[in-house]
Amino acid sequence: MSFSPNKSPTKAAHEHALLLNAIAAGANEYPKPEHVNYTYGTAGFRTLATKLPSVLFRVGLLAVLRSKRLEGATIGVMVTASHNPEPDNGVKLVDPSGEMLDPTWEAHATALSNCPSTESLISTFTTLATHLRVDLSQPANIVYAYDTRPSGPELIKALERGFESFGESVKTNNLGVTTTPILHYVVKATNDKTGTYGEPTKKGYNEKMAKAFRTLIGNRGPLAPLYVDCANGVGALALQDFTATLGDVLPINPLNTSTSTQGSLNHSCGADFVKTKQALPPSIQSSGVLSKAGTRACSFDGDADRIVYYYLHESKGTFRLLDGDKIAVMVAMFLGDLIVKAKLDEEHKLEVGVVQTAYANGSSTKYLTSRNIPVSCVPTGVKHLHHAAQRYDIGVYFEANGHGTVLFSDQAIKALKSANPQSPDSANAIKNLLAFSELINQAVGDALSDMLLVETVLAHRGWGAAEWDAGYEDLPNRLVKVEVPDRSIFVATDAERKLQHPQGLQDTIDETVKKYDMGRSFVRPSGTEDCVRVYAEAKTATEAENLAVAVTDIVKFGSGQV
Ligand code: 16G
Ligand code: MG
């Protein structure tokens, strides 16, 4: 068996045998636990860390196959379970452009991870390498990182064991403990042939962002102090590094920064807690830091790729959430205004579009469409939003949960760089649009970069949190997690807004929704947990609650539970 036309068959066969021996030795060290079925889901593999060592070893193999298939382009591997509790961990692959792994390879990851024995792993690996036409003599380049979970270092060893099976043909770059978006940035920057995206290091990331932020803030600083809940995760470390680079233009008060206190990660804090509970983390509540009128805060999630903002209503003291939808609306409107100010020639006109999911609050969609901003709706999961956003000149995408970014197309950058400004104002708008394209992570949603984006827009508008919030009022909504015997019978369609199966269920849901003023509800199987999710919104909180309960009953009936 030879994978390399350039070498003599015997030498290649010998090398191949060595490789398979090395893989077999590693596989024996990291056997797959029995009775566990793994799936490479929306955000890679994610489960209890104790179940993951064999998966990490096999992901190591797949990352190398992918890099060799792409002639040595650098592939990323991130070990994290984001907002999940501390005993969980996970792993996902990053493609050379800095985007999520090509979906056609997800099935290969699943297949490798589920091989029950060393023999079946060797056989599946060999079949994959042949079918995917991987030239094993090609070099491979991998960059990898992990979050602050205590299980990280052991899992990284298993991953490295996978890489090592291939001997010297694999070059690796261990970024250590870092955020998911920084890993995506480094992958993108490493593969960038033009050399303009940025230096492929953490330092390069911090410098690029600090420079763009300073340009955009100009003489508006120092800004009002901002409280940042770091979810006791890796965002705390990234924020510390970044503020050391930035200086005092933006005074940041980090909260929930206990990265080494056992059990603290994502515990009663972080973006997921705030968005799900629609409340302040108790630690922030009791500290009283938000009680001073006009004070704003934000929460990162456990791997710092999600962000939500919030503040307390000045007179009522009630909690006010500024989630991904609010960020998308404010940013899209602001960039739209900048484009108008830029006064680009007719043939270089740029359009801002927004990508949302079915979870976007109906009020946000209405706000945008009534102002002629194109809005598309796609299924949940960053890869869907990212690809849809690439279809706009400037594509703003955010999930309501705070995961999102803004993509500038190559044409948009070209148009801006070659524009002939008609006035100092238009020159300034063009300069600012280009600085935004540097400030905003072009690979993936990034809490730190998004935070700077929000701060910049607020500073330019001269707004506090309340003015930002005033744009539209969220419809009351409710999200319910329904445990069902078999979630695979639920098949969603139309960007997850309708159920295709079980048959007839959608009609019953539609009949129910009609009874509620401004009612909307949908049902979708989760991509990360063994459950079905029900979302409902309506004119009042009571109606939203009642609608959610009614649709939950329909789901239970449809799953044969009642
Ligand atoms: C994953 C997705 C996130 C999505 C969530 C939905 C990525 C990187 N992350 O965490 O975007 O909102 O899944 O979870 O794509 P669900 O399918 O369990 O509702
Ligand atoms: Mg995350």
Side-chain angles (χ1 to χ4, degrees):
M1 195 180 329
S2 166
F3 288 89
S4 164
N6 301 328
K7 291 189 178 133
S8 73
T10 19
K11 190 170 175 216
H14 177 68
E15 281 178 5
H16 193 65
L18 283 182
L19 168 64
L20 296 188
N21 283 341
I23 294 178
N28 289 339
E29 239 175 84
Y30 293 104
K32 175 187 177 290
E34 282 177 32
H35 316 299
V36 189
N37 190 38
Y38 301 104
T39 310
Y40 193 99
T42 327
F45 295 106
R46 203 178 284 183
T47 184
L48 262 183
T50 49
K51 293 184 184 169
L52 280 170
S54 64
V55 173
L56 267 289
F57 171 71
R58 293 157 189 225
V59 165
L61 303 180
L62 191 72
V64 174
L65 281 187
R66 179 109 185 111
S67 176
K68 285 180 183 274
R69 178 68 184 86
L70 301 174
E71 294 164 7
T74 298
I75 294 292
V77 184
M78 183 70 206
V79 177
T80 179
S82 183
H83 56 275
N84 285 37
E86 198 163 296
D88 286 356
N89 214 324
V91 59
K92 58 186 166 191
L93 293 174
V94 177
D95 257 359
S97 58
E99 293 170 22
M100 303 292 170
L101 174 68
D102 178 335
T104 61
W105 277 58
E106 292 176 2
H108 311 323
T110 301
L112 280 181
S113 67
N114 286 314
C115 293
S117 63
T118 298
E119 293 70 38
S120 74
L121 177 64
I122 296 285
S123 141
T124 305
F125 173 84
T126 314
T127 312
L128 273 182
T130 312
H131 283 175
L132 296 169
R133 298 192 312 280
V134 180
D135 176 356
L136 289 166
S137 70
Q138 286 279 339
N141 290 287
I142 317 278
V143 48
Y144 57 103
Y146 49 109
D147 70 14
T148 53
R149 281 161 210 273
S151 55
E154 277 305 310
L155 292 177
I156 286 292
K157 275 191 203 154
L159 178 74
E160 288 170 336
R161 189 76 175 79
F163 304 152
E164 286 157 11
S165 312
F166 295 82
E168 287 181 0
S169 68
V170 181
K171 298 263 173 306
T172 59
N173 174 10
N174 179 357
L175 287 187
V177 175
T178 198
T179 70
T180 297
I182 292 182
L183 185 267
H184 283 258
Y185 163 88
V186 172
V187 172
K188 188 175 175 67
T190 307
N191 289 303
D192 173 39
K193 299 265 184 306
T194 67
T196 52
Y197 190 65
E199 189 193 303
T201 58
K202 287 191 211 182
K203 183 168 158 275
Y205 168 93
N206 284 325
E207 283 172 354
K208 174 174 170 149
M209 227 156 345
K211 183 170 169 224
F213 187 66
R214 276 193 221 105
T215 304
L216 283 160
I217 294 302
N219 56 13
R220 293 175 177 82
L223 307 177
L226 171 68
Y227 289 89
V228 185
D229 159 22
C230 300
N232 293 317
V234 64
L237 309 176
L239 193 62
Q240 198 176 20
D241 273 3
F242 177 71
T243 40
T245 310
L246 180 68
D248 47 16
V249 189
L250 173 62
I252 288 178
N253 299 306
L255 304 167
N256 296 323
T257 57
S258 311
T259 53
S260 51
T261 309
Q262 217 191 341
S264 63
L265 176 66
N266 296 322
H267 183 70
S268 293
C269 60
D272 197 61
F273 176 92
V274 172
K275 171 71 184 163
T276 317
K277 301 265 190 260
Q278 309 209 2
L280 288 185
S283 53
I284 298 187
Q285 174 82 50
S286 60
S287 71
V289 291
L290 283 190
S291 47
K292 183 166 172 275
T295 310
R296 70 213 181 290
C298 60
S299 286
F300 293 0
D301 75 336
D303 62 337
D305 63 356
R306 275 168 60 178
I307 185 169
V308 293
Y309 266 75
Y310 42 91
Y311 70 104
L312 297 180
H313 190 282
E314 189 173 348
S315 54
K316 298 183 200 149
T318 47
F319 172 81
R320 300 285 307 177
L321 179 66
L322 296 154
D323 63 2
D325 299 339
K326 288 268 180 180
I327 298 176
V329 167
M330 177 170 75
V331 167
M333 296 305 296
F334 185 74
L335 293 177
D337 287 354
L338 266 188
I339 288 172
V340 172
K341 282 193 194 141
K343 292 202 168 72
L344 300 172
D345 311 333
E346 218 29 68
E347 74 268 27
H348 288 135
K349 280 272 172 284
L350 300 178
E351 185 180 53
V352 178
V354 176
V355 185
Q356 301 186 314
T357 71
Y359 288 113
N361 196 278
S363 297
S364 70
T365 317
K366 196 168 154 200
Y367 184 94
L368 291 166
T369 46
S370 66
R371 283 159 183 80
N372 295 324
I373 309 254
V375 180
S376 26
C377 183
V378 299
T380 303
V382 169
K383 61 186 174 210
H384 301 294
L385 289 118
H386 194 92
H387 290 146
Q390 283 169 330
R391 292 199 276 272
Y392 294 111
D393 300 323
I394 298 180
V396 179
Y397 76 81
F398 270 90
E399 291 188 315
N401 65 21
H403 200 148
T405 192
V406 182
L407 300 181
F408 287 74
S409 69
D410 289 345
Q411 301 91 287
I413 299 291
K414 257 190 224 141
L416 291 167
K417 285 194 171 156
S418 63
N420 291 318
Q422 297 178 14
S423 65
D425 265 3
S426 81
N428 207 24
I430 292 164
K431 185 188 91 184
N432 284 343
L433 282 164
L434 284 168
F436 273 115
S437 77
E438 294 285 310
L439 180 74
I440 304 170
N441 193 322
Q442 296 296 289
V444 78
D446 180 340
L448 210 141
S449 162
D450 289 339
M451 174 187 89
L452 300 174
L453 167 63
V454 166
E455 291 302 315
T456 306
V457 176
L458 290 176
H460 278 244
R461 292 278 199 217
W463 286 355
E467 287 88 351
W468 169 16
D469 196 15
Y472 66 87
E473 188 66 26
D474 270 331
L475 281 173
N477 56 86
R478 183 91 163 80
L479 181 62
V480 184
K481 177 172 158 177
V482 192
E483 279 167 17
V484 294
D486 177 11
R487 82 183 196 278
S488 71
I489 66 165
F490 291 86
V491 181
T493 182
D494 186 23
E496 302 181 326
R497 289 172 290 194
K498 297 252 174 285
L499 270 185
Q500 202 167 19
H501 291 288
Q503 260 172 14
L505 226 58
Q506 187 59 47
D507 294 339
T508 320
I509 296 171
D510 290 344
E511 282 306 310
T512 309
V513 168
K514 271 192 212 151
K515 296 178 195 154
Y516 293 83
D517 202 2
M518 300 174 83
R520 185 171 72 92
S521 179
F522 64 90
V523 175
R524 57 175 282 277
S526 159
T528 64
E529 285 183 87
D530 195 8
C531 68
V532 164
R533 301 201 197 280
V534 170
Y535 175 87
E537 66 182 30
K539 193 165 181 194
T540 66
T542 314
E543 280 181 293
E545 175 68 33
N546 291 346
L547 177 56
V549 170
V551 176
T552 301
D553 286 344
I554 297 172
V555 167
K556 285 190 176 155
F557 178 77
S559 70
Q561 284 186 75
V562 255

